[in-house]
Amino acid sequence: STGRLNNMITTDVDKARRVVRYIHVLLVSPVSVIISLVSLYHLIGVSVFIGLGWMAIVILLNPIMMTLASKLEDKQQSKTDARVQKVTEIISAVQVIKCYAWEEPSLQKVEAARAAELRAMWVLYCVYTVFEGLWSSVIPVTTAVMFASYSIMNPSTPLDPATAFTAVSLLGMVQGPLFAIPWVVTLVIESRVAAARLERLFFKQETDLPAISCIGTFSPEDTSAGAAAEAAAAATREAVEGMDSLGSRLMVDFQGESFQWPKMRRRASAEGEEGEGSDDDNDDDDDDGDDTGSISDATSTTAASTNGVSVAVEPSGSGAAAADLESGGGDSSTTSKSGHFKLSNLHLQVPKGSLVAIVGATASGKTSLLHAVLGEMPLAAGSDPALARRQAVKREKPIAFAPQQPWIFNASIRQNILFGQRYDEKAYREVLKCCDLEKDFELLKAGDMTKVGEKGIALSGGQKARVCLARATYRKTTCDIFLLDDPYSALDAHVARKVHVETVHGALRRKTRFVTTNRLEFAEDCDWVVVLKDGNIDAFGTWPDVRKSSATLQALLEAHGDRQQDDEDAAENSDGRMGGGNPLAIVDLTRATSANSTGHGEEVQLPPPQPHLVRQLSREGSEPDGQEDEEETRASGQVRKEVFFYYLRMMGRPISVMLLAGLYLVSELIQISLPVWLAHWTASSPTEDELPGFLRVYVALSAFSVIFMTVRDIVGNVYGFRAARRMHFAMLSSVLRAPLSFFQDTPHGRIINRFSKDTSEIDKDLIWQMLNTFVPILSCIGNLALVSSTAYFALFAFLPVFWMYYKCWCYYNPVVLDIKRITKVSSSPVYDHFNNLCRENAVSTVRAHHQVERECRRNSKLVGEQQRPQYCQMYVENWYFLCVGCMGAFLVFAVGVVVVLTKGKLIVAATAALALTFATQFEEDVRNLIGQVAEFSMAFNCVERVMEYSTTLASEAALTTSNTPPPDWPQAGVLEVKHLEVRYRPGLPLVLKGLTFTTEAGERVGVVGRTGAGKSSLLITLLRIVEPEEGSVLRLDGVDLLTLGLRDLRSKIAMIPQEPILFQESFRYNCDPFGRHSTQEVWHALCEAQLAPWVMSQANGASASAAGATSTSSSVVYGGDEGSLVEPAQEPGSTTELQAGYAPSEAPANAEELLKIEVKEGGQNLSAGQRQMVAIARAVLRRSKFVLLDEATAALDSATDAAIQQAVRRCFAGASTLTIAHRLQTIMDSDRILVLESGSVKELGPPAELRQKEGGVFRAMVEEARL
């Protein structure tokens, strides 16, 4: 998952790096310990070995504790992966979350993952605390046992100050390494777990695409990059020679290959464990969906051979009629028993220069076929080894790929189009012209240098699709194969026609082109047409041939509005509305062979572009210099005291902070009392009877020291985790309440950086950095106080050295703090670049265009920039340790001189020993203190960054207000819009200019207009994603929308967005995140959305008994491609038709299990059409009387589109709907059509009336669409 990968690069890599810096401690520390122990033996004899008994026990316990901690660390990291993945999902889907008013369930989902993470971390750190407590107990326990045994074994030689404090000093030399060992061991455990996680990623199965041969391999069988590259080159040469033997013009040659996507998982529970299955390598497919049936029963072999192009379609082997899943049939030839999609027995040969259209029902495998051509879809298990070795597609050159879900990275539009290619002014301008982007750039302040933001948020859906198409077209000189995945779905009719004529038939006319499409009018003038059904090639040939031979295509055409007629009547058109029973006809397109074909001149009628026709949120916000990245802000100077107080408030009430401080104060007093009591003991020269009393006190103080150290650390964990939980909650709440412009302006990598790396530091390091700073402060104060009271004359040596320490701190602390801030800021571009590559279709696009090496170089450059401040920090720290070490040596020397000069006059032996001991400890404490204060300040940089997002982000309007609508609002769906004016930011031009219109109760209104007319701006304004200007009036059933709370408003309106966003959760969660609906209601919604049959097909080969009950008397059942409504097959091979009026049956007996099927991250195991069906199911569950549809069926085939439109009318009977559609057929049966132009109402009326209006905009659009 993306969350796991993000956690790897933000946390795991850093852990692996840190341990290398400190691993030497495990080698040096034992040497120091051995030297100190040998010296102790010469000082006090065998008593040292008695005292070391406890150390031996702790060392023996060490492997057990390490093993336990390693397992707990791995479990905790998996919980962190899950939390980061959920945060990443929410940040990516924030626009949809706001439209649905899903902030609350999103927050609850992340907080549930956060609670699980903190529980695992609590157990882990309790183990670490016990582990550290055992090591911390070594010195006091060893000292007590050693002195006790020495006193008992040497009654005639009492313990004198010289012996005692020399032994204490030698044990102090042991204490540092012993305290460092458990800390380094903890780092080793963390790095070991991190390295194992990274190793699992590195050693995953690798593809053998030519595009990645340049970067070598991580495979343990062959770690030589040169050998891998040579092997890949040899395989490529052999495959190319094999293809050349079939003909030099053959570009694609499938000879029976089968391809299959990996299996989907079920979520066992709401808190399902993260498994290896979530780390799929196939994250860039958008058409993994499985089909559940077929429109026809035609499974016989079809063959065609024309002009050197041949295809053989073998029978699937099922031989069964279309599956009626509701009655238990559901065994599709492409849906294996494990329920994952399969392309079966592909026989396809395509020569160079052909234009191939790929058509079929939703989820029939169109996108999967393109991924098979790319080499991204794996061969099915059990494939013939000979087929696995041969190369069916010439991939030695880049393949231009324009995916259905456009991949737009956060850069300028020009950078997105060039994508590693050199800039050629003439070629670039030609590409912009044929992709119809010139007018769009005139609308943008910075033109093609405009920064598009994360996921292209500054562009409309159509603009993103054309930018991806322009990226592919710009490579016409370097690529021979062009794969265009449904390039017309997001385009208006006139734009789609121009792109088809001038780009597909014009600029790319000599190239091999594969175009998938649901708009069948564009398939008519292609050289060849491939009809897919259930992952099999149903028919192949020219348009007239497949139209006659394919029942699947005939059914799609009927749904599209084209009744097949006899040859002599083929050109006859029929006119009428979709809902009126007169199907729309399709006029045959004239075969275009150049950019000068008839479609080119249609754009003359377009109005000149206006600078205010900006369509999407904050599009005008780009600066003229679009190539410059906005620098991430960072603080400077010392950390503000407000940041410290903020963290203390998050820890709890003042009494809690005082309790923690009190525990550390008592613990430090006990620590200081040990040498004081030892000085008193040795100075008193106790008798044999008095010795047990001194020993009991010393042993008791040692025991209390160990107990209080452990208790204070456990309490510190409690308060630290409490603060971490509250800070994470506050930051996430603030981010979810931020306006959408924040997400457009801020790269998502910056946001994720705060939720991953900064949060990890707060969880694991911050509380300890604070407490470890508190301890040296108390120690220094205590030492100074004792020196002042027992050897005040030594202050003459302490004070000047203390001043030098202060000056050293003044130089060191600000520098290292700013370096830490720079490190944080320099990390964000690395994470941002990585997140861009983790998005859907990113990796497949990079590999298809052979840009792998370029992206690797770019990542290396960013990582290098990230590492530079860390080197600076290391150099500064080395300078600091050198300075502090010299000053510490001078302090001990100065105190020693004072002791020698005052010997026998102002000081006794015990006091002198105590002064020297405290001088040595003070040097170490001050060195630790200065370094720790700097670390403390650096650690609070993450609090500073989290606090910025928690307290300073702008917020949307209130979620609730005193003006609360009635529970059953809206009841009629009457929308009143008056003088609506909208601008995306102050000072920018208006995008909606005084819109005024009113809808009637239950009225269906279609909204049309050319690109930039303001269609989507109207929809997001109704949801108050953008707030209108003062004086605007928005009322729904008489309720003023501008005075409602955002939650009350958005939760009452059903919205079906243009780009559906799905979460890596169960189907049930994706439909009903609040859990407010029963299983029957959710299943009913899936039925209405035509998705229930596909869900049932995933039940591991669902049997008839598992399918549940269905109405046998119904004349209409589910069984078409992707759940299209079909009549039962009357005889084998009969043609079925789409029907209306289906009433969903009761949920099957295993519906609860079916709804637990997991949707992969971003819905990548569903086709684009299936994702849209899930969005429709969400709207069905809301049951609102006012529905907004933004290109709701653009990604669906015409058959499913018609069925969905009927389902929408049935589900929302009596509800008012506003529908934006590029395919005019979708809204031709609306009650009225609202035509927008330049942000104003141009026309409003019934479609029949507007079609008759001379010179009307709507009439021109209908004529352009050939309706």
Side-chain angles (χ1 to χ4, degrees), residues 1093-1112:
W1094 182 85
V1095 174
M1096 295 186 69
S1097 73
Q1098 308 308 303
N1100 291 329
S1103 61
S1105 60
T1110 187
S1111 175
T1112 57

Side-chain angles (χ1 to χ4, degrees), residues 36 126 152 191 203 264 428 461 467 546 606 647 766 778 1171:
S36 300
C126 282
I152 295 173
S191 65
F203 291 167
M264 289 190 304
Y428 183 75
V467 168
V546 297
L606 290 177
Y647 184 74
L766 186 61
L778 293 177
R1171 298 177 214 176

